[in-house]
Amino acid sequence: MAKTSQTEKEQIAQLAWQVEMGADEVISEVPINRLEVAEPDETPIPETKAAPAKTQAAAPPPEAAEQEAGDLAARARTLAELNGAVAAFEGCSLKKTAMNTVFSRGDAASGLMLVGEAPGAAEDRQGKPFVGPAGKLLDKMLAAIGRNSEADYYISNILPWRPPGNRDPTPAEAAICLPFIKRHIELAAPRVLVLLGGVAAKALLDVTDGITRVRGRWFCYSVDGQEIPAMAIFHPAYLLRQPQLKRQAWQDLLEIKSKLDD
Ligand code: URA
Protein backbone atom coordinates (compact mmCIF):
# COMPACT_ATOMS: atom_id res chain seq x y z
CA MET A 1 0.00 0.00 0.00
CA ALA A 2 1.35 3.48 -0.86
CA LYS A 3 2.69 5.37 2.15
CA THR A 4 0.80 8.53 3.17
CA SER A 5 3.16 11.50 3.39
CA GLN A 6 3.11 13.99 6.26
CA THR A 7 1.63 16.67 3.94
CA GLU A 8 -1.14 14.33 2.82
CA LYS A 9 -1.91 13.46 6.43
CA GLU A 10 -2.17 17.18 7.24
CA GLN A 11 -4.43 17.75 4.23
CA ILE A 12 -6.70 14.84 5.25
CA ALA A 13 -6.86 16.21 8.81
CA GLN A 14 -7.76 19.69 7.47
CA LEU A 15 -10.45 18.22 5.25
CA ALA A 16 -11.90 16.18 8.13
CA TRP A 17 -11.99 19.36 10.24
CA GLN A 18 -13.84 21.26 7.52
CA VAL A 19 -16.43 18.47 7.18
CA GLU A 20 -16.79 18.46 10.96
CA MET A 21 -17.46 22.24 10.84
CA GLY A 22 -20.19 21.73 8.28
CA ALA A 23 -18.48 22.30 4.91
CA ASP A 24 -20.35 20.11 2.44
CA GLU A 25 -19.54 21.56 -0.97
CA VAL A 26 -16.44 22.54 -2.95
CA ILE A 27 -17.13 25.70 -4.89
CA SER A 28 -13.61 26.77 -5.82
CA GLU A 29 -10.17 25.21 -6.07
CA VAL A 30 -8.59 28.02 -4.11
CA PRO A 31 -9.89 29.69 -0.97
CA ILE A 32 -11.41 33.17 -1.33
CA ASN A 33 -10.54 35.74 1.30
CA ARG A 34 -13.92 37.45 1.56
CA LEU A 35 -12.35 40.30 3.53
CA GLU A 36 -10.24 41.21 0.51
CA VAL A 37 -12.97 40.87 -2.09
CA ALA A 38 -14.10 44.30 -3.34
CA GLU A 39 -17.56 45.48 -2.43
CA PRO A 40 -20.04 44.58 -5.21
CA ASP A 41 -20.64 48.24 -6.09
CA GLU A 42 -16.89 48.72 -6.71
CA THR A 43 -16.76 45.99 -9.35
CA PRO A 44 -19.85 46.23 -11.51
CA ILE A 45 -20.45 43.09 -13.56
CA PRO A 46 -20.69 43.94 -17.27
CA GLU A 47 -24.30 43.26 -18.22
CA THR A 48 -23.49 41.25 -21.32
CA LYS A 49 -21.04 38.90 -19.54
CA ALA A 50 -22.88 38.41 -16.26
CA ALA A 51 -23.32 34.72 -15.48
CA PRO A 52 -26.91 33.67 -14.83
CA ALA A 53 -27.55 33.57 -11.12
CA LYS A 54 -27.68 30.06 -9.66
CA THR A 55 -31.28 29.51 -8.60
CA GLN A 56 -31.30 28.16 -5.07
CA ALA A 57 -34.32 27.85 -2.80
CA ALA A 58 -33.84 30.61 -0.23
CA ALA A 59 -34.33 29.46 3.36
CA PRO A 60 -37.60 30.86 4.73
CA PRO A 61 -37.26 33.55 7.43
CA PRO A 62 -37.16 32.01 10.95
CA GLU A 63 -40.69 33.14 11.85
CA ALA A 64 -42.11 31.51 8.71
CA ALA A 65 -40.12 28.31 9.37
CA GLU A 66 -41.37 28.24 12.96
CA GLN A 67 -44.93 28.70 11.76
CA GLU A 68 -44.53 25.94 9.18
CA ALA A 69 -43.03 23.58 11.79
CA GLY A 70 -45.99 24.34 14.07
CA ASP A 71 -48.51 23.60 11.30
CA LEU A 72 -46.79 20.36 10.29
CA ALA A 73 -46.46 19.21 13.89
CA ALA A 74 -50.13 19.94 14.64
CA ARG A 75 -51.20 17.98 11.57
CA ALA A 76 -49.29 14.83 12.63
CA ARG A 77 -51.69 12.46 14.36
CA THR A 78 -49.24 9.66 15.18
CA LEU A 79 -45.55 9.41 16.04
CA ALA A 80 -44.90 7.85 12.64
CA GLU A 81 -46.56 10.83 10.92
CA LEU A 82 -44.56 13.23 13.04
CA ASN A 83 -41.35 11.38 12.18
CA GLY A 84 -42.21 11.75 8.50
CA ALA A 85 -43.02 15.47 8.91
CA VAL A 86 -39.72 16.18 10.68
CA ALA A 87 -37.73 14.24 8.08
CA ALA A 88 -39.39 16.16 5.23
CA PHE A 89 -39.05 19.61 6.85
CA GLU A 90 -36.58 21.92 5.06
CA GLY A 91 -36.96 25.02 7.24
CA CYS A 92 -33.98 24.47 9.54
CA SER A 93 -30.50 25.01 8.11
CA LEU A 94 -29.03 22.38 10.48
CA LYS A 95 -30.57 19.72 8.28
CA LYS A 96 -28.26 20.72 5.42
CA THR A 97 -25.09 19.82 7.32
CA ALA A 98 -26.45 16.78 9.16
CA MET A 99 -26.12 13.24 7.82
CA ASN A 100 -29.39 12.01 9.31
CA THR A 101 -32.56 13.18 10.99
CA VAL A 102 -32.51 11.86 14.55
CA PHE A 103 -36.07 11.30 15.76
CA SER A 104 -36.21 8.80 18.63
CA ARG A 105 -35.05 5.54 20.16
CA GLY A 106 -36.91 3.19 22.46
CA ASP A 107 -40.59 2.54 23.09
CA ALA A 108 -43.08 5.38 23.56
CA ALA A 109 -45.40 2.97 25.39
CA SER A 110 -42.83 2.57 28.19
CA GLY A 111 -44.23 5.60 30.06
CA LEU A 112 -40.78 7.20 30.54
CA MET A 113 -39.68 9.82 28.01
CA LEU A 114 -36.26 11.51 28.13
CA VAL A 115 -35.39 14.58 26.07
CA GLY A 116 -31.80 15.66 25.43
CA GLU A 117 -30.33 18.59 23.55
CA ALA A 118 -29.12 17.63 20.09
CA PRO A 119 -27.47 14.69 18.33
CA GLY A 120 -23.69 14.40 18.44
CA ALA A 121 -21.41 12.76 15.87
CA ALA A 122 -22.36 9.13 16.67
CA GLU A 123 -26.08 9.95 16.73
CA ASP A 124 -25.81 11.83 13.42
CA ARG A 125 -24.10 8.81 11.82
CA GLN A 126 -26.59 6.26 13.14
CA GLY A 127 -29.74 8.40 13.04
CA LYS A 128 -30.58 7.54 16.67
CA PRO A 129 -30.36 9.62 19.84
CA PHE A 130 -27.89 8.87 22.63
CA VAL A 131 -25.84 6.12 21.04
CA GLY A 132 -22.40 7.71 21.68
CA PRO A 133 -20.43 7.91 24.96
CA ALA A 134 -23.12 9.99 26.73
CA GLY A 135 -25.72 7.48 25.56
CA LYS A 136 -23.73 4.57 27.00
CA LEU A 137 -23.74 6.31 30.38
CA LEU A 138 -27.45 7.12 30.05
CA ASP A 139 -28.20 3.44 29.36
CA LYS A 140 -26.33 2.49 32.56
CA MET A 141 -28.19 5.14 34.57
CA LEU A 142 -31.52 3.81 33.31
CA ALA A 143 -30.54 0.19 33.95
CA ALA A 144 -29.72 1.20 37.54
CA ILE A 145 -33.42 2.00 38.09
CA GLY A 146 -34.62 -1.15 36.37
CA ARG A 147 -35.08 0.27 32.88
CA ASN A 148 -32.77 -2.18 31.17
CA SER A 149 -33.75 -2.22 27.55
CA GLU A 150 -35.19 -0.02 24.80
CA ALA A 151 -38.63 -1.39 25.69
CA ASP A 152 -38.33 0.44 29.03
CA TYR A 153 -37.77 4.04 27.90
CA TYR A 154 -38.21 6.46 25.02
CA ILE A 155 -35.60 9.09 24.07
CA SER A 156 -35.58 12.13 21.82
CA ASN A 157 -33.90 15.54 21.59
CA ILE A 158 -34.91 19.19 21.34
CA LEU A 159 -33.16 19.29 17.94
CA PRO A 160 -33.43 16.46 15.41
CA TRP A 161 -30.26 17.54 13.56
CA ARG A 162 -26.67 17.77 14.73
CA PRO A 163 -25.28 21.31 14.90
CA PRO A 164 -21.97 21.29 12.93
CA GLY A 165 -18.98 20.60 15.16
CA ASN A 166 -21.42 20.19 18.12
CA ARG A 167 -21.71 23.96 18.44
CA ASP A 168 -24.58 25.35 20.51
CA PRO A 169 -27.78 25.72 18.49
CA THR A 170 -28.78 29.32 17.84
CA PRO A 171 -32.01 30.55 19.50
CA ALA A 172 -33.61 30.68 16.02
CA GLU A 173 -32.70 27.02 15.28
CA ALA A 174 -34.07 25.92 18.65
CA ALA A 175 -37.27 27.96 18.20
CA ILE A 176 -37.88 26.48 14.74
CA CYS A 177 -37.57 22.90 16.03
CA LEU A 178 -39.52 23.41 19.26
CA PRO A 179 -43.02 22.70 17.86
CA PHE A 180 -41.81 19.24 16.80
CA ILE A 181 -40.57 18.12 20.21
CA LYS A 182 -43.64 19.60 21.91
CA ARG A 183 -45.94 17.61 19.63
CA HIS A 184 -43.64 14.61 20.09
CA ILE A 185 -44.21 14.71 23.87
CA GLU A 186 -47.93 15.23 23.36
CA LEU A 187 -48.23 12.19 21.09
CA ALA A 188 -45.96 9.97 23.22
CA ALA A 189 -47.94 11.04 26.33
CA PRO A 190 -45.40 9.67 28.84
CA ARG A 191 -46.26 9.20 32.51
CA VAL A 192 -42.96 10.86 33.44
CA LEU A 193 -40.84 13.31 31.43
CA VAL A 194 -37.09 13.73 32.10
CA LEU A 195 -35.14 16.66 30.65
CA LEU A 196 -31.47 15.91 30.18
CA GLY A 197 -29.45 19.06 30.90
CA GLY A 198 -30.07 22.78 31.03
CA VAL A 199 -30.86 23.34 27.36
CA ALA A 200 -33.77 20.87 27.39
CA ALA A 201 -34.96 22.16 30.77
CA LYS A 202 -35.00 25.80 29.62
CA ALA A 203 -36.69 24.91 26.33
CA LEU A 204 -39.52 22.92 27.87
CA LEU A 205 -39.97 24.10 31.45
CA ASP A 206 -40.70 27.70 32.29
CA VAL A 207 -37.29 28.23 33.94
CA THR A 208 -34.36 30.57 33.47
CA ASP A 209 -32.08 29.14 36.22
CA GLY A 210 -29.23 26.83 35.29
CA ILE A 211 -29.40 23.05 35.66
CA THR A 212 -27.66 23.05 39.07
CA ARG A 213 -30.61 24.94 40.57
CA VAL A 214 -33.35 23.32 38.54
CA ARG A 215 -32.36 19.63 38.74
CA GLY A 216 -34.12 17.23 41.08
CA ARG A 217 -37.36 19.23 41.37
CA TRP A 218 -40.73 18.14 40.05
CA PHE A 219 -42.40 20.42 37.53
CA CYS A 220 -45.70 20.02 35.76
CA TYR A 221 -45.45 19.90 31.97
CA SER A 222 -48.88 20.79 30.61
CA VAL A 223 -49.83 19.87 27.10
CA ASP A 224 -53.33 19.66 25.62
CA GLY A 225 -54.99 18.94 28.96
CA GLN A 226 -52.31 16.44 30.03
CA GLU A 227 -50.32 17.26 33.19
CA ILE A 228 -47.07 15.33 33.00
CA PRO A 229 -44.67 15.25 35.98
CA ALA A 230 -41.31 16.48 34.66
CA MET A 231 -37.84 16.58 36.18
CA ALA A 232 -34.55 17.94 34.84
CA ILE A 233 -31.37 16.04 35.66
CA PHE A 234 -27.70 16.55 34.77
CA HIS A 235 -26.92 15.73 31.15
CA PRO A 236 -24.93 12.46 30.94
CA ALA A 237 -22.23 14.22 28.86
CA TYR A 238 -21.80 16.67 31.76
CA LEU A 239 -21.59 13.74 34.20
CA LEU A 240 -18.79 12.24 32.09
CA ARG A 241 -16.83 15.47 32.62
CA GLN A 242 -17.91 15.96 36.27
CA PRO A 243 -18.19 12.43 37.72
CA GLN A 244 -18.45 13.80 41.28
CA LEU A 245 -22.00 14.93 40.37
CA LYS A 246 -23.14 11.33 39.83
CA ARG A 247 -24.23 11.20 43.49
CA GLN A 248 -26.82 13.92 42.89
CA ALA A 249 -27.84 12.31 39.60
CA TRP A 250 -28.43 9.05 41.49
CA GLN A 251 -30.75 10.81 43.97
CA ASP A 252 -32.71 12.26 41.02
CA LEU A 253 -32.94 8.84 39.38
CA LEU A 254 -34.37 7.35 42.57
CA GLU A 255 -37.01 10.12 42.63
CA ILE A 256 -37.89 9.31 39.03
CA LYS A 257 -38.12 5.60 39.79
CA SER A 258 -40.41 6.23 42.72
CA LYS A 259 -42.68 8.44 40.57
CA LEU A 260 -42.85 5.72 37.93
CA ASP A 261 -43.63 3.09 40.60
CA ASP A 262 -46.52 5.19 42.03
N1 URA B 1 -26.36 14.54 23.60
C1 URA B 1 -27.67 14.86 23.44
O1 URA B 1 -28.16 15.82 24.03
N2 URA B 1 -28.39 14.10 22.61
C2 URA B 1 -27.90 13.05 21.97
O2 URA B 1 -28.65 12.41 21.23
C3 URA B 1 -26.55 12.74 22.18
C4 URA B 1 -25.80 13.49 22.98
Side-chain angles (χ1 to χ4, degrees):
M1 211 167 88
K3 236 176 131 193
T4 313
S5 72
Q6 187 57 28
T7 321
E8 279 170 332
K9 277 189 197 150
E10 280 168 13
Q11 285 171 343
I12 290 167
Q14 279 171 10
L15 199 58
W17 180 80
Q18 288 183 14
V19 171
E20 179 82 0
M21 297 313 288
D24 62 353
E25 194 182 3
V26 178
I27 53 172
S28 172
E29 283 189 17
V30 286
I32 300 168
N33 184 345
R34 302 271 172 207
L35 298 173
E36 284 175 6
V37 173
E39 292 293 324
D41 57 353
E42 289 170 25
T43 52
I45 301 167
E47 270 176 30
T48 48
K49 288 197 185 157
K54 199 174 159 193
T55 43
Q56 218 176 43
E63 302 74 27
E66 209 178 314
Q67 175 73 44
E68 190 193 344
D71 293 346
L72 289 169
R75 244 178 277 147
R77 283 157 306 148
T78 62
L79 289 170
E81 282 183 16
L82 184 65
N83 190 355
V86 175
F89 182 64
E90 299 294 340
C92 180
S93 55
L94 292 177
K95 188 181 182 189
K96 294 183 175 48
T97 50
M99 292 167 80
N100 278 300
T101 297
V102 177
F103 187 71
S104 69
R105 169 167 88 81
D107 187 350
S110 63
L112 171 62
M113 181 167 184
L114 303 107
V115 179
E117 181 179 337
E123 290 77 19
D124 187 33
R125 264 195 310 275
Q126 295 186 39
K128 288 182 182 177
F130 283 97
V131 290
K136 298 277 170 292
L137 176 58
L138 182 60
D139 285 351
K140 283 190 196 154
M141 290 162 69
L142 291 169
I145 55 163
R147 302 258 156 180
N148 296 295
S149 77
E150 288 199 344
D152 303 323
Y153 51 79
Y154 186 63
I155 312 182
S156 188
N157 278 310
I158 298 288
L159 292 164
W161 298 288
R162 180 193 184 205
N166 292 352
R167 67 159 168 77
D168 287 342
T170 65
E173 288 160 352
I176 289 169
C177 296
L178 207 53
F180 290 128
I181 188 62
K182 286 189 169 169
R183 181 72 175 143
H184 201 153
I185 297 168
E186 190 178 351
L187 289 169
R191 284 200 295 121
V192 172
L193 177 66
V194 175
L195 290 328
L196 300 168
V199 170
K202 280 186 187 151
L204 293 173
L205 302 176
D206 197 13
V207 294
T208 48
D209 282 337
I211 187 67
T212 308
R213 280 177 177 273
V214 169
R215 61 147 277 274
R217 284 161 44 195
W218 284 111
F219 289 81
C220 182
Y221 182 81
S222 304
V223 60
D224 193 34
Q226 302 175 56
E227 307 266 281
I228 305 171
M231 180 182 282
I233 68 173
F234 287 126
H235 193 290
Y238 189 50
L239 291 174
L240 286 173
R241 294 193 301 272
Q242 307 280 340
Q244 76 281 6
L245 297 177
K246 284 185 185 171
R247 235 175 111 94
Q248 291 169 54
W250 176 235
Q251 284 166 4
D252 298 346
L253 286 170
L254 290 178
E255 271 288 328
I256 291 162
K257 177 174 168 27
S258 125
K259 184 68 83 183
L260 285 160
D261 290 346
D262 268 355

